[in-house]
Amino acid sequence: MKNPSPAVLPVQPANVAAWRTPVELGLLAAIWGASFLFQRVAAPEFGASALAELRLLLGAAVLLPFLWLARADFPARLWPRLALLGAINSAIPFALFAWGAQRAPAGVGAITNAMAVLFTALVAFLFFRERIGARKVLALVVGFIGVIVLASDKTEGASVGWATAAGVAAALMYGVGANLVPRLLNGLPPSAVAAATLGSAALLLLPFSIAHWPEQSVSAPAWGSAIALGVICTGLAYAIYYRLIQRIGAARAVTVTYLVPLAAVAWAWSLLGEPLTWPMAIACALILGSVAISQRPAKQGG
Protein backbone atom coordinates (compact mmCIF):
# COMPACT_ATOMS: atom_id res chain seq x y z
CA MET A 1 0.00 0.00 0.00
CA LYS A 2 1.07 3.50 -0.72
CA ASN A 3 0.02 6.39 1.49
CA PRO A 4 -1.04 9.04 -1.04
CA SER A 5 -1.96 12.36 0.46
CA PRO A 6 -5.69 12.98 0.23
CA ALA A 7 -5.35 16.66 1.07
CA VAL A 8 -4.95 17.57 -2.59
CA LEU A 9 -8.47 16.40 -3.31
CA PRO A 10 -11.75 18.20 -2.71
CA VAL A 11 -14.61 16.08 -1.50
CA GLN A 12 -17.11 15.64 -4.31
CA PRO A 13 -20.34 14.03 -3.15
CA ALA A 14 -22.00 11.86 -5.75
CA ASN A 15 -25.27 10.03 -5.97
CA VAL A 16 -24.23 6.41 -6.05
CA ALA A 17 -25.75 3.17 -4.85
CA ALA A 18 -25.35 2.61 -1.11
CA TRP A 19 -23.51 -0.68 -1.60
CA ARG A 20 -20.85 0.76 -3.89
CA THR A 21 -18.63 2.42 -1.27
CA PRO A 22 -18.28 -0.57 1.09
CA VAL A 23 -17.70 -2.85 -1.88
CA GLU A 24 -14.93 -0.61 -3.23
CA LEU A 25 -13.37 -0.29 0.24
CA GLY A 26 -13.34 -4.06 0.57
CA LEU A 27 -11.93 -4.46 -2.94
CA LEU A 28 -9.18 -1.92 -2.24
CA ALA A 29 -8.26 -3.67 1.02
CA ALA A 30 -8.09 -7.01 -0.80
CA ILE A 31 -5.88 -5.51 -3.54
CA TRP A 32 -3.50 -3.78 -1.16
CA GLY A 33 -3.43 -6.85 1.07
CA ALA A 34 -2.51 -8.94 -1.96
CA SER A 35 0.41 -6.59 -2.70
CA PHE A 36 2.29 -8.07 0.26
CA LEU A 37 1.55 -11.57 -1.02
CA PHE A 38 2.88 -10.67 -4.48
CA GLN A 39 6.02 -9.15 -2.97
CA ARG A 40 6.56 -12.28 -0.90
CA VAL A 41 6.49 -14.38 -4.09
CA ALA A 42 8.49 -12.06 -6.37
CA ALA A 43 11.06 -10.41 -4.08
CA PRO A 44 13.26 -13.50 -3.45
CA GLU A 45 13.84 -13.86 -7.21
CA PHE A 46 13.93 -10.22 -8.33
CA GLY A 47 15.52 -8.61 -5.30
CA ALA A 48 14.29 -5.43 -3.67
CA SER A 49 15.40 -2.75 -6.14
CA ALA A 50 14.45 -4.63 -9.33
CA LEU A 51 11.00 -5.49 -7.99
CA ALA A 52 10.40 -1.94 -6.81
CA GLU A 53 11.47 -0.66 -10.24
CA LEU A 54 8.98 -2.90 -12.04
CA ARG A 55 6.23 -1.85 -9.65
CA LEU A 56 6.96 1.84 -10.24
CA LEU A 57 7.13 1.54 -14.02
CA LEU A 58 3.93 -0.47 -14.35
CA GLY A 59 2.02 1.69 -11.87
CA ALA A 60 3.09 4.86 -13.67
CA ALA A 61 2.09 3.36 -17.03
CA VAL A 62 -1.44 2.64 -15.79
CA LEU A 63 -1.87 6.21 -14.52
CA LEU A 64 -0.04 7.89 -17.42
CA PRO A 65 -3.26 8.94 -19.23
CA PHE A 66 -4.19 11.11 -16.21
CA LEU A 67 -0.82 12.85 -16.39
CA TRP A 68 -1.13 13.36 -20.14
CA LEU A 69 -4.53 15.01 -19.77
CA ALA A 70 -3.19 17.33 -17.06
CA ARG A 71 0.24 17.94 -18.62
CA ALA A 72 -0.31 21.71 -18.77
CA ASP A 73 -0.38 21.76 -14.96
CA PHE A 74 3.10 20.24 -14.71
CA PRO A 75 5.73 22.80 -15.84
CA ALA A 76 9.43 21.95 -15.75
CA ARG A 77 10.00 23.86 -12.48
CA LEU A 78 7.65 21.41 -10.72
CA TRP A 79 9.56 18.25 -11.56
CA PRO A 80 12.31 18.53 -8.89
CA ARG A 81 9.53 18.49 -6.28
CA LEU A 82 7.91 15.53 -7.98
CA ALA A 83 11.24 13.68 -8.00
CA LEU A 84 11.78 14.39 -4.29
CA LEU A 85 8.30 13.18 -3.39
CA GLY A 86 8.68 10.20 -5.71
CA ALA A 87 11.76 9.11 -3.75
CA ILE A 88 10.14 9.64 -0.34
CA ASN A 89 6.66 8.38 -1.13
CA SER A 90 7.41 5.56 -3.57
CA ALA A 91 10.97 4.51 -4.40
CA ILE A 92 12.30 4.14 -0.84
CA PRO A 93 9.23 2.54 0.79
CA PHE A 94 8.60 0.19 -2.15
CA ALA A 95 12.22 -1.03 -1.97
CA LEU A 96 12.04 -1.38 1.83
CA PHE A 97 8.86 -3.44 1.73
CA ALA A 98 10.32 -5.64 -1.02
CA TRP A 99 13.49 -6.11 1.05
CA GLY A 100 11.40 -7.09 4.05
CA ALA A 101 9.35 -9.50 1.95
CA GLN A 102 12.50 -11.52 1.32
CA ARG A 103 12.91 -12.09 5.05
CA ALA A 104 9.49 -12.33 6.71
CA PRO A 105 5.90 -13.42 6.13
CA ALA A 106 3.63 -11.12 4.12
CA GLY A 107 1.65 -10.17 7.21
CA VAL A 108 4.66 -8.48 8.82
CA GLY A 109 4.93 -5.84 6.11
CA ALA A 110 1.17 -5.28 6.05
CA ILE A 111 0.99 -4.80 9.82
CA THR A 112 3.86 -2.29 9.90
CA ASN A 113 2.32 -0.46 6.94
CA ALA A 114 -0.59 0.56 9.19
CA MET A 115 1.85 2.69 11.20
CA ALA A 116 1.83 5.21 8.33
CA VAL A 117 -1.31 6.82 9.77
CA LEU A 118 0.42 7.39 13.11
CA PHE A 119 3.65 8.62 11.52
CA THR A 120 1.67 11.15 9.50
CA ALA A 121 0.43 12.70 12.76
CA LEU A 122 3.88 12.53 14.39
CA VAL A 123 5.67 14.23 11.47
CA ALA A 124 3.00 16.92 11.33
CA PHE A 125 3.57 17.60 15.04
CA LEU A 126 7.38 17.58 14.96
CA PHE A 127 7.99 19.56 11.77
CA PHE A 128 4.80 21.45 10.90
CA ARG A 129 3.59 22.52 14.35
CA GLU A 130 0.28 20.75 14.11
CA ARG A 131 -1.38 19.78 17.37
CA ILE A 132 -1.19 16.12 18.21
CA GLY A 133 -3.28 15.83 21.38
CA ALA A 134 -3.19 13.31 24.21
CA ARG A 135 -5.26 10.77 22.26
CA LYS A 136 -2.76 10.59 19.40
CA VAL A 137 0.16 10.42 21.81
CA LEU A 138 -1.53 7.40 23.39
CA ALA A 139 -2.08 5.94 19.92
CA LEU A 140 1.62 6.34 19.08
CA VAL A 141 2.67 4.63 22.31
CA VAL A 142 0.29 1.72 21.73
CA GLY A 143 1.39 1.44 18.10
CA PHE A 144 5.07 1.29 18.97
CA ILE A 145 4.38 -1.35 21.61
CA GLY A 146 2.80 -3.33 18.79
CA VAL A 147 5.95 -2.87 16.70
CA ILE A 148 8.12 -4.16 19.57
CA VAL A 149 5.89 -7.21 19.94
CA LEU A 150 6.07 -7.86 16.20
CA ALA A 151 9.84 -7.45 16.07
CA SER A 152 10.22 -10.06 18.82
CA ASP A 153 8.43 -12.69 16.74
CA LYS A 154 10.17 -15.68 15.22
CA THR A 155 8.91 -17.60 12.21
CA GLU A 156 10.35 -21.07 11.78
CA GLY A 157 13.16 -20.09 14.14
CA ALA A 158 14.15 -16.93 12.25
CA SER A 159 13.70 -13.45 13.68
CA VAL A 160 11.59 -10.97 11.71
CA GLY A 161 13.13 -7.98 13.50
CA TRP A 162 14.94 -6.54 10.48
CA ALA A 163 11.91 -6.98 8.24
CA THR A 164 9.84 -5.20 10.88
CA ALA A 165 12.38 -2.36 10.98
CA ALA A 166 12.23 -2.06 7.18
CA GLY A 167 8.42 -1.91 7.26
CA VAL A 168 8.43 0.73 9.99
CA ALA A 169 10.97 2.81 8.04
CA ALA A 170 8.76 2.55 4.94
CA ALA A 171 5.72 3.63 6.96
CA LEU A 172 7.74 6.60 8.24
CA MET A 173 8.49 7.59 4.64
CA TYR A 174 4.78 7.47 3.89
CA GLY A 175 4.15 9.70 6.90
CA VAL A 176 6.68 12.25 5.65
CA GLY A 177 5.26 12.11 2.14
CA ALA A 178 1.70 12.55 3.35
CA ASN A 179 2.72 15.83 4.94
CA LEU A 180 4.78 17.10 2.03
CA VAL A 181 2.42 16.39 -0.87
CA PRO A 182 -0.36 18.84 0.14
CA ARG A 183 2.24 21.50 0.97
CA LEU A 184 4.28 21.17 -2.23
CA LEU A 185 1.70 20.02 -4.78
CA ASN A 186 -1.59 21.37 -3.50
CA GLY A 187 -4.35 21.81 -6.08
CA LEU A 188 -2.93 19.46 -8.71
CA PRO A 189 -4.95 16.51 -10.05
CA PRO A 190 -4.05 13.67 -7.67
CA SER A 191 -4.03 10.81 -10.18
CA ALA A 192 -1.70 12.85 -12.38
CA VAL A 193 0.50 13.58 -9.34
CA ALA A 194 0.64 9.85 -8.61
CA ALA A 195 1.70 9.10 -12.19
CA ALA A 196 4.36 11.81 -12.11
CA THR A 197 5.81 10.76 -8.75
CA LEU A 198 5.82 7.08 -9.69
CA GLY A 199 7.53 7.85 -12.99
CA SER A 200 10.09 10.08 -11.31
CA ALA A 201 10.75 7.43 -8.68
CA ALA A 202 11.27 4.84 -11.42
CA LEU A 203 13.95 7.02 -13.03
CA LEU A 204 15.69 7.59 -9.69
CA LEU A 205 15.72 3.88 -8.87
CA LEU A 206 16.72 2.75 -12.38
CA PRO A 207 20.53 2.71 -11.86
CA PHE A 208 20.15 0.61 -8.69
CA SER A 209 17.75 -1.82 -10.36
CA ILE A 210 20.07 -2.26 -13.34
CA ALA A 211 23.02 -2.90 -11.04
CA HIS A 212 21.05 -5.48 -9.07
CA TRP A 213 18.96 -7.02 -11.83
CA PRO A 214 18.74 -10.79 -11.25
CA GLU A 215 21.36 -12.74 -13.13
CA GLN A 216 19.41 -15.98 -13.06
CA SER A 217 16.16 -16.52 -14.94
CA VAL A 218 13.00 -15.47 -13.08
CA SER A 219 10.12 -17.92 -12.79
CA ALA A 220 6.69 -17.33 -14.27
CA PRO A 221 5.00 -17.01 -10.84
CA ALA A 222 7.49 -14.29 -9.87
CA TRP A 223 6.92 -12.41 -13.12
CA GLY A 224 3.17 -12.71 -12.74
CA SER A 225 3.36 -11.43 -9.17
CA ALA A 226 5.54 -8.48 -10.18
CA ILE A 227 3.16 -7.52 -13.00
CA ALA A 228 0.11 -7.81 -10.72
CA LEU A 229 1.92 -5.75 -8.08
CA GLY A 230 2.51 -2.89 -10.51
CA VAL A 231 -0.66 -2.93 -12.60
CA ILE A 232 -3.30 -3.93 -10.03
CA CYS A 233 -1.87 -3.12 -6.60
CA THR A 234 -0.31 0.19 -7.63
CA GLY A 235 -1.90 1.70 -10.74
CA LEU A 236 -5.47 0.39 -10.42
CA ALA A 237 -5.51 0.66 -6.61
CA TYR A 238 -4.54 4.34 -6.68
CA ALA A 239 -7.32 5.09 -9.15
CA ILE A 240 -9.88 3.40 -6.85
CA TYR A 241 -8.51 5.13 -3.76
CA TYR A 242 -8.62 8.62 -5.25
CA ARG A 243 -12.15 8.04 -6.48
CA LEU A 244 -13.19 7.01 -2.98
CA ILE A 245 -11.65 10.16 -1.51
CA GLN A 246 -13.53 12.29 -4.02
CA ARG A 247 -16.79 10.57 -3.10
CA ILE A 248 -16.61 10.07 0.66
CA GLY A 249 -13.68 12.20 1.84
CA ALA A 250 -10.25 11.33 3.20
CA ALA A 251 -11.33 10.56 6.76
CA ARG A 252 -13.63 7.74 5.66
CA ALA A 253 -11.43 6.48 2.83
CA VAL A 254 -8.46 6.00 5.18
CA THR A 255 -10.45 3.38 7.11
CA VAL A 256 -9.21 0.93 4.48
CA THR A 257 -6.03 0.91 6.60
CA TYR A 258 -7.80 -1.28 9.14
CA LEU A 259 -8.58 -3.96 6.59
CA VAL A 260 -5.28 -4.27 4.71
CA PRO A 261 -3.34 -6.31 7.34
CA LEU A 262 -6.28 -8.67 7.75
CA ALA A 263 -6.50 -9.15 4.00
CA ALA A 264 -2.73 -9.67 3.69
CA VAL A 265 -2.65 -12.32 6.41
CA ALA A 266 -5.67 -14.07 4.88
CA TRP A 267 -4.07 -14.12 1.41
CA ALA A 268 -0.74 -15.39 2.74
CA TRP A 269 -2.38 -18.07 4.90
CA SER A 270 -4.69 -19.36 2.16
CA LEU A 271 -2.26 -19.27 -0.78
CA LEU A 272 1.21 -19.58 0.76
CA GLY A 273 0.41 -21.47 3.93
CA GLU A 274 2.04 -18.80 6.10
CA PRO A 275 0.91 -19.04 9.73
CA LEU A 276 -0.53 -16.27 11.86
CA THR A 277 1.58 -16.34 15.02
CA TRP A 278 0.48 -14.99 18.38
CA PRO A 279 2.96 -12.08 18.29
CA MET A 280 1.64 -11.14 14.82
CA ALA A 281 -1.96 -11.28 16.05
CA ILE A 282 -1.19 -9.22 19.17
CA ALA A 283 0.87 -6.69 17.21
CA CYS A 284 -1.88 -6.38 14.60
CA ALA A 285 -4.47 -5.73 17.32
CA LEU A 286 -2.27 -3.14 19.03
CA ILE A 287 -1.32 -1.26 15.86
CA LEU A 288 -4.80 -1.26 14.35
CA GLY A 289 -6.23 -0.31 17.73
CA SER A 290 -3.82 2.61 17.91
CA VAL A 291 -4.86 3.72 14.43
CA ALA A 292 -8.51 3.53 15.49
CA ILE A 293 -7.74 5.67 18.56
CA SER A 294 -5.93 8.26 16.46
CA GLN A 295 -8.80 8.51 13.97
CA ARG A 296 -11.57 9.12 16.51
CA PRO A 297 -12.96 12.66 16.20
CA ALA A 298 -12.28 14.97 19.08
CA LYS A 299 -15.19 15.77 21.38
CA GLN A 300 -16.80 19.14 20.82
CA GLY A 301 -17.78 21.63 23.47
CA GLY A 302 -17.20 21.51 27.21
Side-chain angles (χ1 to χ4, degrees), residues 49-274:
S49 58
L51 180 59
E53 178 69 21
L54 284 172
R55 182 179 185 181
L56 291 165
L57 285 172
L58 292 170
V62 171
L63 296 171
L64 187 61
F66 295 101
L67 178 59
W68 176 256
L69 292 173
R71 61 190 182 279
D73 296 327
F74 290 80
R77 60 179 173 79
L78 200 60
W79 283 92
R81 296 183 187 180
L82 292 164
L84 172 65
L85 290 167
I88 293 172
N89 227 20
S90 300
I92 296 173
F94 283 9
L96 284 169
F97 276 127
W99 186 87
Q102 296 174 271
R103 294 162 174 80
V108 171
I111 293 168
T112 56
N113 179 77
M115 290 291 294
V117 177
L118 303 179
F119 280 129
T120 299
L122 182 61
V123 170
F125 169 72
L126 292 176
F127 298 100
F128 300 104
R129 299 182 179 179
E130 293 188 13
R131 292 185 59 188
I132 190 169
R135 187 179 67 254
K136 288 189 177 180
V137 171
L138 174 62
L140 284 164
V141 172
V142 173
F144 282 116
I145 291 173
V147 169
I148 293 170
V149 172
L150 184 62
S152 68
D153 191 18
K154 292 183 181 293
T155 303
E156 297 180 352
S159 172
V160 300
W162 284 112
T164 300
V168 171
L172 175 59
M173 291 292 100
Y174 286 157
V176 173
N179 280 278
L180 291 180
V181 169
R183 290 171 170 85
L184 299 181
L185 301 174
N186 189 36
L188 293 172
S191 294
V193 168
T197 54
L198 288 171
S200 299
L203 289 175
L204 292 172
L205 195 60
L206 185 60
F208 301 96
S209 63
I210 292 175
H212 295 93
W213 194 262
E215 297 179 359
Q216 73 283 3
S217 60
V218 176
S219 67
W223 269 111
S225 295
I227 292 170
L229 181 64
V231 173
I232 300 174
C233 301
T234 306
L236 178 61
Y238 285 4
I240 295 173
Y241 186 64
Y242 288 135
R243 185 169 61 182
L244 278 167
I245 292 173
Q246 287 179 320
R247 185 190 311 146
I248 64 177
R252 290 180 62 194
V254 79
T255 57
V256 72
T257 303
Y258 305 120
L259 303 174
V260 171
L262 305 178
V265 170
W267 281 119
W269 172 77
S270 61
L271 297 180
L272 299 180
E274 292 185 350

